[in-house]
Amino acid sequence: MKPEVLMVAGARPNFMKIAPVASAMRGDGRLRGTILHTGQHYDREMSELFFEQLAIPEPEIRLGVGSASHALQTAEIMTRIEPVLLERKPAAVLVVGDVNSTIASALVAVKLGIPVAHVEAGLRSFDRTMPEEINRVLTDAISTWLFVTERSGLEHLATEGIAADKVHFTGNVMIDTLMRCREQAAKVDAPRKMGLTPKGYALMTLHRPSNVDEGSRLNAMLDPIRELGKSMPVIFPVHPRTRKILEGLSEGASDTIRMCEPLGYVEFLGLMSQAKLVLTDSGGIQEETTVLGVPCVTLRDNTERPVTLIEGTNHLAGTAPDGIRETIRRALTVPAEPRSPELWDGRAAERIVDVLASDLLEVGA
Ligand code: UD1
């Protein structure tokens, strides 16, 4: 019997990371990969649509936890995953990224003596007010395999005293998915369907609690974007968290910003590829725009992905309106080219599966 690796996915940014790993596991053939969906995200356009577009196999287990406070959501995932792990006794649990599903599953697994593999380990914003930063630090501390996307991760893990033999620099699985889906995105041609001119519009996403949870702050941040909207269309697929707050604002996003529902992966990738400018507070989008060669203005004070600033097309704007205004101006004048940070070559998932299969089969032998 092949060793089972239980892969946990819960929230939207997890799905594009799990997809290439599941596919590489099938291709490699030495391990049996199964998928567990925690249900942290549950709206069709935040979850099922991604499974369909990325051809991710149907999850064998669904925990159906839904939304709640951090404590309740984390506790609910832990409570529901424990009996699953006790019954199946997988050889390893694989978690991705930095969401509540990541730390909750890792914590339960490790206490049951099941080793944890963390994909996208070592990233640090050094901002402990971000829930994701807490999830990253804790997940890395208890993982057996730490798969790193960029060299900064190697330094951070060494500083935190993680043994070097647990750490593997394997590249970026999110870029594996991007490379696989580029052609399909070009065919679907979302910009044309939305009546947009290639390189003639901006695309924005915003959902970080620190940016969107307080209406007055969000409103101030949107000012420079409303101004940008007077010179080019600004497309804004709105995360459910952000929508709730926007509904309470008297101005809304304004006439110059074109709001829509969250988009599927393929449509969003198509829009990103042809955008003149991307504005975001997401982590993954900073990486994707670097590979696509599209200028990215990150609406945050820090980033856990410094390679996108040093080698890529990313510009850190902060969150003050004047800083955002100035950074948009700069990003529109500096030329941007597609960049390939080390090992962002579309084969990260294969390398991850190779390490896991070699180690797990050695243990079993
Ligand atoms: C989570 C992740 C964040 C990731 C983001 C991507 C954590 C700590 N945060 O934040 O790192 O970047 O996902 O989207 O895990 N909601 C819906 N439908 C859904 C999902 C959520 O309406 O399918 C609403 C709920 O009202 C919920 C709110 O969005 O209360 C926030 O969802 P939650 O999963 O708690 O956090 P995110 O802000 O999505």
Side-chain angles (χ1 to χ4, degrees):
M1 187 82 144
K2 293 177 188 175
E4 179 184 10
V5 176
L6 189 88
M7 297 178 274
V8 175
R12 183 171 62 176
N14 293 164
F15 307 135
M16 40 289 219
K17 295 171 193 165
I18 285 287
V21 180
S23 154
M25 224 171 266
R26 278 195 306 276
D28 178 274
R30 286 176 285 172
L31 301 171
R32 188 161 46 96
T34 46
I35 296 178
L36 176 146
H37 192 323
T38 64
Q40 178 174 345
H41 285 175
Y42 43 84
D43 286 349
R44 183 179 146 71
E45 68 270 18
M46 298 292 285
S47 177
E48 289 322 300
L49 188 53
F50 287 78
F51 276 76
E52 288 164 22
Q53 292 194 340
L54 302 176
I56 308 172
E58 176 64 17
E60 286 191 27
I61 307 125
R62 287 183 183 271
L63 303 182
V65 295
S67 303
S69 70
H70 283 276
L72 282 176
Q73 188 176 58
T74 308
E76 200 60 41
I77 298 168
M78 291 178 71
T79 309
R80 295 191 193 190
I81 201 173
E82 187 175 46
V84 176
L85 297 183
L86 280 169
E87 192 211 314
R88 298 182 78 97
K89 298 187 178 61
V93 166
L94 181 141
V95 296
V96 296
D98 54 17
V99 302
N100 288 341
S101 299
T102 311
I103 177 62
S105 323
L107 192 51
V108 175
V110 78
K111 287 196 175 179
L112 292 175
I114 302 168
V116 173
H118 185 204
V119 173
E120 210 183 79
L123 296 179
R124 296 289 180 270
S125 66
F126 300 101
D127 175 359
R128 297 243 170 144
T129 65
M130 283 177 80
E132 294 83 0
E133 181 75 354
I134 309 293
N135 294 342
R136 289 181 199 117
V137 172
L138 297 181
T139 306
D140 285 344
I142 56 176
S143 292
T144 296
W145 296 273
L146 296 99
F147 295 111
V148 171
T149 53
E150 62 167 81
R151 283 201 177 270
S152 70
L154 299 174
E155 288 161 30
H156 301 145
L157 295 173
T159 308
E160 288 172 24
I162 309 267
D165 60 356
K166 292 180 170 181
V167 180
H168 306 268
F169 181 25
T170 39
N172 193 330
V173 287
M174 210 161 190
I175 303 306
D176 291 5
T177 297
L178 181 147
M179 289 184 173
R180 206 157 298 163
C181 296
R182 274 183 98 159
E183 236 172 78
Q184 197 191 348
K187 262 193 220 135
V188 167
D189 200 356
R192 191 181 46 80
K193 287 198 181 122
M194 292 173 77
L196 298 163
T197 315
K199 299 292 164 194
Y201 61 91
L203 176 66
M204 175 165 76
T205 77
L206 271 183
H207 75 277
R208 292 267 155 229
S210 58
N211 281 339
V212 306
D213 281 3
E214 209 183 295
S216 56
R217 194 182 158 86
L218 175 60
N219 201 27
M221 274 185 74
L222 287 177
D223 256 341
I225 323 288
R226 293 183 183 108
E227 287 161 28
L228 176 69
K230 290 178 190 156
S231 59
M232 66 180 84
V234 178
I235 312 304
F236 182 19
V238 187
H239 187 285
R241 175 178 206 116
T242 313
R243 183 170 291 278
K244 279 190 197 161
I245 311 294
L246 280 175
E247 279 163 3
L249 291 184
S250 54
E251 272 193 82
S254 100
D255 308 341
T256 68
I257 300 177
R258 214 167 115 182
M259 297 196 342
C260 62
E261 291 302 311
L263 296 166
Y265 181 81
V266 171
E267 290 77 14
F268 192 80
L269 176 57
L271 278 180
M272 233 182 345
S273 315
Q274 300 288 340
K276 187 168 180 65
L277 182 70
V278 170
L279 304 126
T280 193
D281 61 2
S282 139
I285 292 173
Q286 299 170 49
E287 300 180 332
E288 291 167 336
T289 45
T290 278
V291 171
L292 295 170
V294 174
C296 177
V297 169
T298 295
L299 304 166
R300 283 174 49 188
D301 294 323
N302 52 54
T303 177
E304 61 288 333
R305 293 158 158 95
V307 77
T308 62
L309 295 175
I310 300 160
E311 290 182 36
T313 59
N314 193 14
H315 303 260
L316 205 53
T319 53
D322 281 346
I324 298 175
R325 224 170 258 122
E326 169 55 24
T327 313
I328 292 177
R329 199 195 51 73
R330 188 156 38 92
L332 285 171
T333 46
V334 178
E337 292 292 327
R339 297 290 160 80
S340 304
E342 194 177 355
L343 298 182
W344 292 18
D345 58 358
R347 306 191 60 185
E350 284 171 40
R351 290 189 277 266
I352 288 169
V353 171
D354 189 48
V355 170
L356 284 178
S358 309
D359 286 0
L360 288 171
L361 291 165
E362 198 178 299
V363 170

